[in-house]
Amino acid sequence: MILTKAAITEAIATGEISIEPFDAARLSPNAYDWRLGETLRICDGYLDAARPTTFTETAIPATGTLLEPGVLYLGVTYEKTGSETYAQMLNGDRTTGSLGIWVHVSAPLGHVGHAIRWTLEIRATKPVRIYPRMTFGKLIFLATAGDRASYQHTGGKYAATEGIDISRLYTELAGGPR
């Protein structure tokens, strides 16, 4: 079940959902309109699942940054979100999609207990300029069924993420660095 604007507002008031910084004007009927943070990591060269990804990190200036097709950018949400009660689903939206920006297609689920700024996978189909703190997508909250276990207490490899994080798949692959 997806929470409505009224249910999200109530859950924020009771502390069941946290959004920092929170702006009530960013609530829509079934979601919260999240913003792009102020930093990008540009993945260098080819990627190898058995090795940590090398990257160049850059601040997004107020004048914007031009995204180029064929480049994998990792970004971060401006908002830090979390809930020990609800799961979260982070998606791009029509406004970014109609600019040819694909954002966070592969990992939209935030488990119960997920409390971080989200790392974003960003790709552009055409050259497009983006800006820090621009609306970049929608976050929905989902009620769960059954016993809940907090992601923060499961020992998951991304539980302690504080900002943009590269893939840690290499920690699981034989022969890769550990």
Side-chain angles (χ1 to χ4, degrees), residues 41 48-49 51-53 74 80-81 104 106-107 109-121 150-173:
R41 286 186 176 173
D48 182 341
R51 307 220 176 286
T53 300
L74 298 179
K80 179 178 181 178
T81 65
H104 215 65
S106 66
L109 179 64
H111 300 283
V112 170
H114 189 191
I116 63 171
R117 285 185 165 76
W118 295 65
T119 295
L120 309 168
E121 306 97 23
S150 175
Y151 183 74
Q152 296 305 110
H153 305 293
T154 62
K157 64 182 165 252
Y158 299 106
T161 298
E162 286 298 320
I164 303 172
D165 207 352
I166 62 168
S167 170
R168 295 187 197 162
L169 185 59
Y170 63 88
T171 64
E172 299 175 22
L173 296 173

Side-chain angles (χ1 to χ4, degrees), residues 10 15 18 20 37 82 84-85 93 98 110 113 129 141 143 152 168:
E10 182 178 335
S18 64
E20 300 168 12
E84 289 290 339
T85 306
D93 65 5
S98 61
R129 186 167 298 278
F141 294 90
Q152 296 305 110
R168 295 187 197 162

Side-chain angles (χ1 to χ4, degrees), residues 79-158:
E79 291 85 1
K80 179 178 181 178
T81 65
S83 177
E84 289 290 339
T85 306
Y86 301 102
Q88 305 167 67
M89 185 135 333
L90 185 106
N91 293 296
D93 65 5
R94 186 192 182 297
T95 57
T96 53
S98 61
L99 289 172
I101 300 170
W102 293 7
V103 60
H104 215 65
V105 174
S106 66
L109 179 64
H111 300 283
V112 170
H114 189 191
I116 63 171
R117 285 185 165 76
W118 295 65
T119 295
L120 309 168
E121 306 97 23
I122 304 168
R123 293 170 198 85
T125 59
K126 296 182 69 77
V128 60
R129 186 167 298 278
I130 60 168
Y131 300 87
R133 298 189 189 182
M134 68 183 272
T135 298
F136 224 62
K138 297 207 175 284
L139 178 69
I140 62 172
F141 294 90
L142 305 163
T144 59
D147 294 334
R148 289 190 295 261
S150 175
Y151 183 74
Q152 296 305 110
H153 305 293
T154 62
K157 64 182 165 252
Y158 299 106

Side-chain angles (χ1 to χ4, degrees), residues 1-59:
M1 174 176 38
I2 297 173
L3 272 62
T4 64
K5 177 179 181 176
I8 296 169
T9 300
E10 182 178 335
I12 289 170
T14 63
E16 291 181 315
I17 291 175
S18 64
I19 301 174
E20 300 168 12
F22 175 69
D23 177 356
R26 302 191 74 71
L27 283 168
S28 58
N30 299 333
Y32 186 82
D33 295 338
W34 59 271
R35 294 171 283 180
L36 177 64
E38 300 170 340
T39 307
L40 287 176
R41 286 186 176 173
I42 303 163
C43 298
D44 299 328
Y46 76 92
L47 305 179
D48 182 341
R51 307 220 176 286
T53 300
T54 59
F55 58 86
T56 303
E57 188 164 298
T58 185

